[in-house]
Amino acid sequence: QVQLVESGGGLVQAGGSLRLSCAASGNIFRINHMAWYRQAPGKQRELVADVTSGGITNYADSVKGRFTISSDNAKNTVYLQMDSLKPEDTAVYYCAAEVKAAWGTPADYWGQGTQVTVSS
């Protein structure tokens, strides 16, 4: 079994910063891809940023220049540095990973989410 645990969410004022972390553990041989999604009340879940094992990153237009995704392959951990936060960034943020288990095939896993609230 593979588990993803997010941390670092909280309540901040507009213009503030937060750093989210997501640590994967369990039967992991290789992580091919990790990503951050978010879902605001009444809205669809959307991709915020993702990074491949080779370090290639991708960002939603709404967060470019403000958010930075990074990973530590040795720790099976991905981070999301969020700067210049806006009220519209308020959402539950979810970590996702494509994991190759030992003697298995790649599969997708999700964390339980961490709340980010940005006040005006």
Side-chain angles (χ1 to χ4, degrees), residues 15-108:
S17 298
L18 285 173
R19 189 191 191 205
L20 306 183
S21 299
C22 173
S25 62
N27 185 17
I28 300 171
F29 176 73
R30 183 181 68 248
I31 298 178
N32 298 324
H33 176 243
M34 299 190 80
W36 287 98
Y37 290 77
R38 67 186 181 187
Q39 187 168 26
K43 300 184 67 176
Q44 298 280 353
R45 185 172 298 186
E46 64 175 342
L47 177 67
V48 177
D50 63 272
V51 59
T52 70
S53 61
I56 305 300
T57 59
N58 176 64
Y59 298 91
D61 288 340
S62 60
V63 306
K64 286 181 179 178
R66 300 189 298 119
F67 291 9
T68 303
I69 189 170
S70 61
S71 62
D72 185 335
N73 293 334
K75 296 181 178 179
N76 291 326
T77 300
V78 65
Y79 306 93
L80 186 67
Q81 177 67 44
M82 304 184 294
D83 298 318
S84 301
L85 283 162
K86 304 175 180 179
E88 50 263 45
D89 295 319
T90 296
V92 177
Y93 284 69
Y94 296 91
C95 177
E98 180 182 288
V99 179
K100 170 68 167 65
W103 311 109
T105 56
D108 293 331

